[in-house]
Amino acid sequence: MAFQIVLPKLGLTMQEGVIGEWVAQPGQRVALGDTLFRVETDKVDVDVEAEAEGVLATNAQNGAVLPVGSVVGWLLADGESAPDGGSTPTAPDSESTTAPESTPEATPAGTPTEATATDGARLKASPNARRVASEAGVDLRRLTGTGPGGRIVSEDVEDFLARPQAEPSGPEASSSAPSAGAAPGSAATFVGPVVRKLAAELGVDLATVSGSGIGGRVTRADVERAATGRSRSAADTSAAAPDSASVGPQPGDVIPLRGMRGAIARNMMDSLHSMAQLTHGYEVDVTDLVAVRAALKGESAAAGRRAPSLNDFIIRAAALALREHPLLNAGIVDDQIVVAERVDIGVAVAVGGGLVVPVVRDADQLSVGEIAGNTAELAAAARNGKLGLADLEGATFSVSTLGAYGVDFFTPVINPGNVAILGVGRVKDGFRWDGDTPVRTQVLTLSLTFDHRAVDGAPAAEYLRTVGEILGRPLTLLSGA
C-alpha cells in the first residue's frame, strides 16, 4: 500500500512551506531515515526523512509553495503505481545487484550516476549519497561505504570531498571542470540547487565565491556574504552605477510574500489585528553601564575574550525585571492570561530576507557572560542558517535592538503568543543637573510595546522603571545578584 509523504508542520506558526529540493529522486528505493527532500519554512530549512521504506514517487516540484499537510509524494511497494497522477518510478533500485542493460546511448562507464563496481555489480549507495556524488563529480567506485552492509552514505562522499585530492593525470586531466580553478571531484565544485538558485537571485557568480563548508564547499551563507560584500564595495567605489547589478529590490520588481517574508507579514498582521498594542518610551541613564562595559571590553581584549555587549546587559536586566513584574512575561490563551513559569527571552536578529528571533532560555538564571555567549552563538547560527526549530520556539518575552542603526525610539510589534516586547534605541549624549551645573551623561530610550488586554499602562511603566533601575547598577548585574 502506498505510504503518503506529506509536508510536515514544523513549528507552531508554520502554515506553508517551500519544496527547496528533492534529495531522493523518483524511482529510487529509499530506506527508513533516508533524506527525501528539503523544505524551506518561514524560519529555517529542514531535511525531511523517510518514515517508511519503498520506491519514491513525487507529486510536487522543486520550488512549489504548499500548505502544511499537502501530499508531496508516496513510498510505493515494488510494482505499485503512484496514485493521483504522481510521477512514475523509472530509476533502478539502488540496492539491486543486477546491472541494467547497456545501450549505445548509455551513460559512459565510470560516471557517478552509474555507480557500477569493477565486477559489474551495482554499488550499494543511498539516494542522498548518489545525489551528492553526482553534483560534486565524484566517482562512487572510489569510495568505501561505512553504512550497513558496506553501503555508501552521504557522509562517505563528504569525507571524500574534505580530503585533499591528487591532481589528475593522463586522459582524465583534460576533462572539463565544473568550475573555474577547481578540480573535478573537489569540494569546491559542490553547489546544491538551493545555493545555485540563491546565487542566481542575488546575481552572485559562484566561481568568485570562497566556500566555508566541508572541504571548501559553497554554502548559502557564503553566497549571502558575497552578495553583501559586493553591494558594499560597489557603494564605496562608485556613487553612480545605475546599470550595475545590485543586491535587494530594484524598481519594478515584484516580490512574492512567501517563505520567511510571508510568515513575517502574516505574523505581524495577526499580532496587530488580535492585540490592543500600546507603546511606552522611557529614557534610561546608562553612564555607569557604558563605563563598566568599556572597562570590560579592554580587559577582555587583553585576554582574547569577547566582552558582553550593552544588549547583553539589557537582556539580563529585562529578565530580572520580569521576576518582579511577571504579568509582562505572559500570553493570552482562550481568553485567559497565562503567566509563564520560565523567563525565555527572544532576541531579534536580522538575516537575509527577514528577521528571526532565537531564544535565550532561562535568561534570569544566567550571568551577563553566559548571556553574551548564548547571544553570540545564536546570532552566528542565525546568519549562517544553522538555527533549529528548537532555537526559535517558546519565547515568553522579546528584546529588539535598533540602536546600531542610529534609531532612538521605535514601536516594536509584539510576537504572537507574548504580551510584551522591549525595543532598545541608541546610546546618545544627555545631561542631568547637579545643582545649577549641567553634567554630561549617556542615555538610551527603551520602547515597551504591551498588549493592553493583559497589561495596563501603569504596570507597564513600572516595569520600565525597574529595568532602568537595574541598568543603573551595572556592578550588581555583573555580580549576578
Side-chain angles (χ1 to χ4, degrees), residues 219-236:
T219 66
R220 294 182 61 170
D222 297 328
V223 174
E224 290 171 351
R225 281 194 294 269
T228 303
R230 186 194 60 194
S231 178
R232 289 175 180 169
S233 175
D236 292 341

Side-chain angles (χ1 to χ4, degrees), residues 189-205:
T189 68
F190 177 76
V191 183
V194 173
V195 176
R196 291 187 184 277
K197 178 182 176 183
L198 179 64
E201 291 174 350
L202 298 181
V204 173
D205 182 358

Side-chain angles (χ1 to χ4, degrees), residues 367-380:
S367 68
V368 170
E370 289 170 330
I371 290 174
N374 279 340
T375 56
E377 291 178 4
L378 290 170

Side-chain angles (χ1 to χ4, degrees), residues 69-90:
S70 297
V71 177
V72 298
W74 299 267
L75 294 174
L76 309 174
D78 291 337
E80 188 175 15
S81 299
D84 300 333
S87 59
T88 303
T90 56

Side-chain angles (χ1 to χ4, degrees), residues 353-380:
L355 186 77
V356 293
V357 187
V359 183
V360 178
R361 308 289 176 186
D362 296 316
D364 60 323
Q365 307 293 329
L366 302 178
S367 68
V368 170
E370 289 170 330
I371 290 174
N374 279 340
T375 56
E377 291 178 4
L378 290 170

Side-chain angles (χ1 to χ4, degrees), residues 334-362:
D334 297 329
D335 292 329
Q336 294 179 319
I337 301 171
V338 180
V339 180
E341 297 180 357
R342 299 170 53 173
V343 178
D344 295 335
I345 305 293
V347 182
V349 178
V351 296
L355 186 77
V356 293
V357 187
V359 183
V360 178
R361 308 289 176 186
D362 296 316

Side-chain angles (χ1 to χ4, degrees), residues 354-412:
L355 186 77
V356 293
V357 187
V359 183
V360 178
R361 308 289 176 186
D362 296 316
D364 60 323
Q365 307 293 329
L366 302 178
S367 68
V368 170
E370 289 170 330
I371 290 174
N374 279 340
T375 56
E377 291 178 4
L378 290 170
R383 294 180 180 120
N384 291 324
K386 301 295 185 182
L387 287 176
L389 286 172
D391 298 318
L392 297 164
E393 299 284 356
T396 60
F397 184 92
S398 297
V399 174
S400 179
T401 304
L402 290 178
Y405 299 93
V407 174
D408 292 329
F409 174 87
F410 61 103
T411 305

